[in-house]
């Protein structure tokens, strides 16, 4: 099944959803971040054409994740998508490795490494609720002016969206840290994080809380070391589809660990992370992703859906 907003032209719920999304977009432009409760996201996604069956299926998709290439407490898959505003569509791109560097405010033991993740499969990318999340992000971010990152092409009408489906795991022997790197940015223009669910996670405690910081905060600082004067806000993803969207070039962020209710058992936290940026300038020779920034469609796992009417 495929989400097709062009088939929603005579459905009043589509226009209701668009009106609410435009209100959120206005708030995003002003505040440079928004947090949308899952209960508010559901009617937006349904209005865009997602099905209730796919909303249910989205909560189970993380059960098929594999081990992460560099983090022992994480299971992961990723995939690359193109927001193409010339065709007004979002489509799947061919497989490429992934890298983030210290120059992009990401300081961790694997900074600068070329990482290879298992690929997102059709069970996620053909899910209409997932596709509606892509459309939602495209509508919020399209045309929003942000601080520019060096070596990205801001004249392009295409954006690269790297999608991660992640499960962070805490066990009696290992602590799961959604942001082991401490205070950081994601090397992109817009970051969106959507909560899919958790098991045995202590939501009453400061478990997996997201802190947003002024850009003056030290990159790599642990969430316990942050300066109060640099703290802008904090949110906690607690309910299915709770979604945070932030201008990544203007907000550093950090997270606390996944804390278990029962410390003798495994605790998990499942998320979708949408990293979206402009393409790397070709021939500039300084960006770590210059040679892994293809816009060729994925031949084995094709997917394309319209963004706008």
């Amino acid at each position: 099944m495929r989400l097709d907003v062009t088939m929603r032209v005579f459905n009043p719920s589509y226009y209701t959803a668009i009106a609410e999304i435009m209100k959120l977009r206005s708030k995003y432009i002003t505040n440079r971040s928004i947090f949308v409760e899952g209960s508010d996201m559901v009617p937006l996604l349904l209005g865009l054409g997602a099905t209730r069956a796919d909303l249910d299926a989205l909560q189970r998709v993380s059960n098929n994740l594999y081990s992460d290439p560099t983090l022992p407490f994480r299971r992961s898959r990723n995939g690359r998508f193109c927001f193409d505003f010339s065709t007004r569509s979002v489509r799947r791109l061919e497989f490429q490795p992934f890298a983030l560097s210290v120059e992009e405010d990401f300081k961790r033991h694997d900074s600068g490494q070329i990482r290879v993740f298992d690929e997102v499969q059709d069970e996620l990318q053909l899910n209409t609720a997932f596709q509606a999340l892509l459309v939602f992000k495209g509508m919020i971010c399209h045309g929003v002016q942000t601080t520019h990152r060096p070596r990205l092409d801001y004249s392009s009408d295409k954006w690269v969206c790297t999608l991660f489906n992640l499960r962070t795991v805490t066990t009696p022997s290992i602590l799961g840290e959604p942001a082991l790197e401490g205070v950081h940015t994601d090397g992109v223009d817009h970051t969106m994080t959507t909560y899919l669910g958790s098991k045995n996670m202590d939501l009453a405690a400061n478990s997996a809380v997201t802190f947003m910081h002024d850009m003056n905060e030290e990159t790599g600082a642990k969430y316990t070391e942050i300066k109060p004067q640099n703290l802008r806000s904090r949110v906690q993803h607690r309910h299915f589809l709770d979604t945070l969207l932030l201008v990544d070039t203007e907000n550093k962020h950090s997270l606390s660990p996944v804390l278990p209710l029962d410390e003798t058992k495994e605790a998990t936290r499942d998320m979708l992370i949408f990293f979206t940026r402009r393409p790397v300038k070709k021939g500039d020779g300084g960006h770590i992703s210059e040679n892994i920034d293809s816009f060729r469609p994925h031949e084995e796992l094709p997917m394309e859906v319209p963004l706008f009417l």
Side-chain angles (χ1 to χ4, degrees):
M1 192 169 181
R2 185 180 78 126
L3 187 86
D4 188 350
V5 296
T6 65
M7 301 300 292
R8 308 286 292 170
V9 64
F10 297 115
N11 194 312
S13 67
Y14 174 75
Y15 298 99
T16 300
I18 294 301
E20 292 303 315
I21 291 171
M22 289 304 101
K23 290 178 185 177
L24 290 169
R25 182 178 183 276
S26 179
K27 184 177 178 182
Y28 184 62
I29 291 171
T30 300
N31 297 339
R32 319 310 279 173
S33 68
I34 53 173
F35 184 77
V36 188
E37 298 282 349
S39 58
D40 294 325
M41 287 295 295
V42 169
L44 299 182
L45 302 187
L46 292 175
L48 293 174
T51 68
R52 290 196 177 274
D54 278 354
L55 285 172
D56 292 339
L58 195 60
Q59 298 178 68
R60 301 187 296 271
V61 71
S62 303
N63 293 333
N64 296 323
L65 297 177
Y66 290 94
S67 59
D68 188 272
T70 58
L71 299 177
F73 52 79
R74 198 166 77 175
R75 300 164 196 165
S76 59
R77 286 184 185 269
N78 89 340
R80 298 170 65 253
F81 297 83
C82 171
F83 284 104
D84 189 337
F85 293 103
S86 63
T87 61
R88 297 184 180 184
S89 64
V90 56
R91 59 180 172 271
R92 182 74 182 269
L93 297 176
E94 70 175 351
F95 170 79
Q96 301 262 259
F98 179 80
L100 276 176
S101 64
V102 173
E103 290 75 17
E104 296 169 288
D105 287 317
F106 185 84
K107 187 186 296 184
R108 201 168 72 186
H109 69 279
D110 53 358
S111 295
Q113 290 185 26
I114 304 298
R115 290 179 278 161
V116 177
F117 292 84
D118 290 300
E119 288 192 84
V120 164
Q121 300 296 304
D122 281 344
E123 65 173 343
L124 179 57
Q125 74 163 5
L126 298 185
N127 180 295
T128 57
F130 166 72
Q131 293 171 349
L133 284 167
L134 285 173
V135 172
F136 170 82
K137 185 172 189 185
M139 288 182 173
I140 293 284
C141 297
H142 178 47
V144 174
Q145 297 298 311
T146 65
T147 301
H148 288 189
R149 286 192 178 275
R151 303 187 178 94
L152 298 186
D153 182 5
Y154 287 90
S155 67
S156 175
D157 55 9
K158 297 178 176 61
W159 292 353
V160 178
C161 178
T162 303
L163 178 280
F164 283 90
N165 183 192
L166 302 175
R167 171 171 286 180
T168 303
V169 181
T170 289
T171 70
S173 59
I174 191 167
L175 180 65
E177 297 192 63
L180 179 65
E181 61 274 13
V183 173
H184 67 286
T185 71
D186 297 311
V188 295
D189 297 306
H190 304 276
T191 293
M192 188 171 89
T193 61
T194 298
Y195 178 79
L196 298 184
S198 62
K199 292 183 179 179
N200 191 37
M201 189 170 80
D202 189 356
L203 291 170
N206 287 326
S207 184
V209 173
T210 302
F211 302 91
M212 282 174 282
H213 314 282
D214 186 272
M215 293 298 286
N216 291 320
E217 185 57 82
E218 180 185 357
T219 297
K222 296 300 181 183
Y223 79 100
T224 54
E225 302 169 345
I226 56 180
K227 298 179 179 65
Q229 63 268 29
N230 290 332
L231 182 62
R232 288 179 170 171
S233 62
R234 52 165 282 168
V235 299
Q236 186 183 36
H237 296 73
R238 299 169 59 90
H239 306 106
F240 175 56
L241 293 180
D242 279 357
T243 295
L244 171 67
L245 211 163
L246 57 87
V247 177
D248 188 59
T249 56
E250 300 172 18
N251 291 279
K252 291 183 179 180
H253 53 284
S254 62
L255 285 94
S256 59
V258 172
L259 304 176
L261 276 170
D262 183 343
E263 295 184 357
T264 67
K265 297 179 180 178
E266 178 182 273
T268 64
R269 177 182 185 257
D270 300 340
M271 300 290 295
L272 295 176
I273 313 294
F274 303 77
F275 294 151
T276 307
R277 59 167 172 77
R278 296 301 177 94
V280 175
K281 286 182 179 178
K282 299 301 181 183
D284 194 59
H287 197 287
I288 191 171
S289 297
E290 181 175 351
N291 297 319
I292 49 173
D293 210 35
S294 163
F295 275 93
R296 289 186 291 268
H298 203 302
E299 293 184 359
E300 292 79 28
L301 293 167
M303 186 281 280
E304 186 167 9
V305 297
L307 287 168
F308 311 119
L309 292 178

